[in-house]
Each structure stands twice: as structure tokens, then as C-alpha cells.
Amino acid sequence: MKVEFLEAAQAELDQAFEWYEIQQNNLGLQFLYEFDAAIRRITAYPKSYTLIGNEIRRCLIKRFPYGVLYGLDEGKVIVIAVAHLHRKPDYWMERIG
């Protein structure tokens, strides 16, 4: 299954990686590893994660307080946000139309 990122979601992933890497050497890489594992779970079982809104699902990233928010469109996973779970909820809602 193909995975596409909204530009804002890609920026969030990049920022999270950079922040963790500054905090501790290789922690950013560990974050990316867990993010990749979440994406692999999503592509294997795209409809198995919690519906949190209008056809939007959330898959939690292990070990880190982040979730991958995504929708499905014609056999593709569209990543809407790489959201920190302890920050302002639903900020990403404006990204869906």
C-alpha cells in the first residue's frame, strides 16, 4: 500500500526527529525507527486503528508520545499529521477537507 504525507505532516516528522536528536544522540533515529514500525503496521492493517474523526484513524508510536493520524483514499494511506499527543488536540482538523 502506498503512503503519502501532507506537507505539514512531513514537517512535523522532521521537527520531531531533530528535537529528539538534539536531546540525545541517536534518539531521533530511534524515533524514526518506531515511526517506521507504525507505518508498517498501518499498511498491513489500515482499518484496524482507532477512528478518531471523519474517517481519520490514529496509530500510536511506541515509546514516544506521538500518533500517526491518517486517512485512506483509493488504496493509499494519507498521513495527515505526526501529532504530539500532549499538545493541543485536534489542531490538525483544518488539514482535512
Side-chain angles (χ1 to χ4, degrees):
M1 182 171 279
K2 187 174 180 174
V3 178
E4 293 181 6
F5 288 77
L6 295 184
E7 190 174 316
Q10 181 64 54
E12 289 169 339
L13 178 61
D14 295 343
Q15 290 167 358
F17 165 76
E18 290 172 13
W19 190 86
Y20 281 117
E21 200 62 23
I22 289 169
Q23 301 310 305
Q24 181 182 330
N25 192 31
N26 290 325
L27 189 59
L29 291 175
Q30 292 173 37
F31 174 76
L32 289 181
Y33 175 81
E34 295 297 345
F35 174 81
D36 183 62
I39 293 294
R40 285 185 273 123
R41 290 192 309 271
I42 291 167
T43 58
Y45 307 102
K47 293 186 178 180
S48 66
Y49 292 95
T50 306
L51 270 172
I52 60 168
N54 189 21
E55 298 299 315
I56 304 300
R57 296 179 182 273
R58 180 183 67 204
C59 176
L60 300 177
I61 298 175
K62 293 180 181 177
R63 295 185 49 218
F64 296 90
Y66 279 83
V68 179
L69 300 156
Y70 67 96
L72 302 172
D73 184 38
E74 298 179 13
K76 293 184 289 191
V77 172
I78 310 295
V79 178
I80 297 165
V82 180
H84 192 290
L85 301 175
H86 299 158
R87 294 189 184 147
K88 183 178 178 183
D90 300 335
Y91 73 91
W92 50 268
M93 293 289 284
E94 64 188 30
R95 297 180 188 174
I96 58 177

